[in-house]
Amino acid sequence: MPGTPPTRFTYLGPEGTFTEAALRTIPAAEHGVRTPARSVPEAIEAVRAGEADAALVPLENSVGGAVPVTLDELITGSPLMITREVLLPVEFVLAARQLTPLAAIRSIAAHPQASAQCRHWLQANAPDAVVVDVLSNAAAAISAAAGEHDAALCAPIGVGRNNLTVLAEKVADRAEAVTRFALLTRPGAPAPPTGDDVTSLAVSIRHDQVGALLSVLTELAVRGINLSRIESRPTGEQLGTYFFFLDCTGHVAEARLGEALQGLRRICAEVRFLGSYPKHRLQPEPPVAPPRGLSDGDFADSAAWLSRLRDGA
């Protein structure tokens, strides 16, 4: 992480949610000050205003897709930079004040996104229960602890805090569901490359230029840069104008990605650099290798060759 490590963290609250659980996997945050925010914009604004050093907010979910409010915040206001990503498996638990047979449960508190991701499980295991919408996973746990509902769908972190008993673990229709979070700071020099990094960008193409998006993709493809994600969001200026969010394999310090950024700067209406940071892998796996002739070593060799030609060597 560039500069002085952050000590003051804000995150999408309230306490007892998956976002807090993700934040506490970061050692500096576990030992620092953690302040929940009521919304993604509030968490991000605390960083822009200097009230916090970093904010952890959800970026995308493997089931529900991108989090639009986070993307919109990244393309409006003063620039921010992603310095770390955190992947967290989304494993809900069904919990209650005391051990209760599932057949006896009549009401379950759940955030709408939680109940949507567990709909089939609930139908199969608690078909007679009424699911009641609440504002967060933490609120679900609190309501069950208060006796307002028989049980709650909540994050595991909420069980101990509310003295609940787990009735069922890993409650989900898709066991492999994962949420990706981004740690945002004010701009600074990226941490050195690790050899397995991600660079995030937001680009606005010239809408009056034929093949503008293809030109953007070509700048990456011809340099062997793997595009792992592309997402569009309207600019809000007029219908038909968009920002495209790109996640690329590589680091801004590497020659081939640096060349690609220069190319994008020439052809795009706007390029917003959102950071180069280590890729978080839940399971060990080798990074995607560039095609033959397009490695960083190949780029360094060709640059040295051109330099010799210019010097007459």
Side-chain angles (χ1 to χ4, degrees), residues 97-120:
R97 286 196 295 178
Q98 59 189 17
L99 195 62
T100 306
L102 295 185
I105 295 174
R106 293 294 176 262
S107 65
I108 299 174
H111 185 276
Q113 290 184 352
S115 57
Q117 294 187 44
C118 303
R119 181 168 58 91
H120 295 298

Side-chain angles (χ1 to χ4, degrees), residues 44-45 47-49 73-80 186-187 272:
I44 289 176
E45 186 54 36
V47 176
R48 286 182 167 138
E73 283 293 318
L74 289 173
I75 58 175
T76 58
S78 57
L80 293 169
R186 291 179 292 279
R272 193 171 270 211

